Amino acid sequence: MGLLERLRKEWFILGIVLVIAVARLEPGVGVKGGPLKPEITITYIAVSAIFFNSGLSLKTEELTSALMHVKLHLFVQIFTLVFFPTAIWVFLQLLSITPINEWLLKGLQTVGCMPPPVSSAVILTKAVGGNEAAAIFNSAFGSFLGIVITPLLLLLFLGSSSSVPFTSIFSQLFMTVVVPLIIGQIVRRYIKDWLERKKPPFGAISSCVLLMIIYTTFCDTFANPNIDLDKFSLIIIVFIIFSVQMSFMFLTFLFSIRNNSTFTPADTVAIIFCSTHKSLTLGIPMLKIVFAGYEHLSLISVPLLIYHPAQILLGSLLVPTIKSWMVSRQKALKLTRQPKAPVKV
């Protein structure tokens, strides 16, 4: 129930943001030079606030129990940051001959380059009863890797804005992502007991800041009179996103249960969600940095904005089915490991 409620809230709030941005009720508010000054408040303050918040909320002490499960971590990170973007690139070579909007196709590639999220994969793994510690570790570790690897993947597959040099991208990411994250972790050490007692609404705070970032991103797009987004392309992209998610979830499931695999059913659950989910929290700020100055930045962002709630929707719908499989699989494995009773003559 909590997952479905969260999903409805995300779709509702995101819908409001898009309606306001499209309608442009207050022209210029969310664009560069407007009253909100997004070139300062969003690019630096809002992004830094999100990752300072993440640093405060990330319970690094919970990661130690999963640290030694190296094979699982390698599987998740290689699938997420190597196989996923490469497979999407190959798929897009076929789609490039179709009339689908080219900027939405580029957006699909950016989705493939994103690291795993810190929240949704962990929440769904916990809801099923899977290896939550492994999910927490891979989500956190993947986010750290993504700070370095994702910009490299984006530059490799899509290139960058000529106005933002390579060194500038990483220096800005370091100052707005890495530094606030580290400061958040340091502050957490001193106020850990207070955080445990009060339990501040970290998720709600990050969501509000992220929605502000999304709002200004869409304002930049719809303030451009030359924007061209057809309904056909959008519908096809939505279909492709759901198809990709389902296909990759099934693929990770098959890989993790093969005969020579050492993964437990609980491990498989963590693998399914962590390998196929993508981070919106890290993704949108990163796209704004890497593609600063791109005329079609928001069109590139659309697939990621669709992918995020779609992964929660699919995951929440599949929770009962995956949980049923995991329980039955655990029972079957337990029976096969029990010593057979001696046959009486």
Side-chain angles (χ1 to χ4, degrees), residues 134-208:
I136 292 172
F137 180 89
N138 280 283
S139 294
F141 184 58
S143 295
F144 280 108
L145 285 179
I147 294 169
V148 176
I149 295 178
T150 295
L152 291 175
L153 292 173
L154 291 172
L155 294 171
L156 173 66
F157 287 111
L158 298 173
S160 171
S161 168
S162 58
S163 63
V164 182
F166 184 81
T167 52
S168 176
I169 291 172
F170 284 96
S171 61
Q172 190 170 341
L173 279 173
F174 182 79
M175 294 305 297
T176 59
V177 176
V178 179
V179 171
L181 198 62
I182 293 173
I183 293 174
Q185 280 284 281
I186 294 172
V187 172
R188 178 182 171 80
R189 292 182 60 184
Y190 293 99
I191 62 171
K192 178 182 173 182
D193 292 338
W194 180 85
L195 291 173
E196 294 296 330
R197 288 197 312 271
K198 298 296 184 180
K199 299 186 183 302
F202 291 117
I205 294 170
S206 291
S207 295
C208 290

Side-chain angles (χ1 to χ4, degrees), residues 16 34 69 86 120 145 165 173 190 195 197 211 214 216 221 247 273 283 288 327:
I16 292 175
H69 209 332
T86 304
S120 61
L145 285 179
L173 279 173
Y190 293 99
L195 291 173
R197 288 197 312 271
L211 285 170
I214 294 169
T216 57
T221 292
S247 299
F273 292 124
K288 288 182 75 69
V327 172

